[in-house]
Amino acid sequence: MAIIGRVNNNREPGPAHVSSITVEEFKKWLKTFDTNNDGRISRSELREAMRRQGCWFTTFRAGRAVRHADKNNDGFVDDSELENLVVFAQKNLGMKIYAA
């Protein structure tokens, strides 16, 4: 995987360190932030993932991302809604995510 120019001060592995990532790699990385292991991503878990990648305004962006992806309006992004989060990350966070 190639290094890109965006800086992550925490030096943690994830999408900010690669020029592109597959959808499956993105989902796998995102699930590492499911701290309560309920199989869903909450706004606070997504906020932490974004913060670790060096994003700014993470509370605002995580809220927007969950609202965009959460089609059943339960306040979480579950497996069936992860594709919606991929689309949001591509369009609004500048991530290069591609199908394998």
Side-chain angles (χ1 to χ4, degrees), residues 50-73:
M50 294 169 76
R51 187 190 68 75
R52 295 252 183 114
Q53 291 306 309
C55 289
W56 291 22
F57 309 109
T58 56
T59 300
F60 173 74
R61 286 182 172 187
R64 280 185 56 214
V66 169
R67 282 190 301 278
H68 175 83
D70 180 23
K71 296 305 178 189
N72 65 2
N73 296 316

Side-chain angles (χ1 to χ4, degrees), residues 7-61:
V7 175
N8 177 337
N9 293 331
N10 294 329
R11 305 263 190 253
E12 297 189 29
H17 285 76
V18 295
S19 59
S20 60
I21 188 170
T22 67
V23 171
E24 290 307 312
E25 289 170 332
F26 176 78
K27 290 177 180 180
K28 184 178 177 180
W29 168 79
L30 193 60
K31 288 181 180 186
T32 64
F33 293 94
D34 181 14
T35 55
N36 61 359
N37 295 313
D38 65 354
R40 307 178 301 174
I41 300 298
S42 68
R43 187 179 75 194
S44 63
E45 291 167 338
L46 183 57
R47 179 185 165 276
E48 181 62 17
M50 294 169 76
R51 187 190 68 75
R52 295 252 183 114
Q53 291 306 309
C55 289
W56 291 22
F57 309 109
T58 56
T59 300
F60 173 74
R61 286 182 172 187

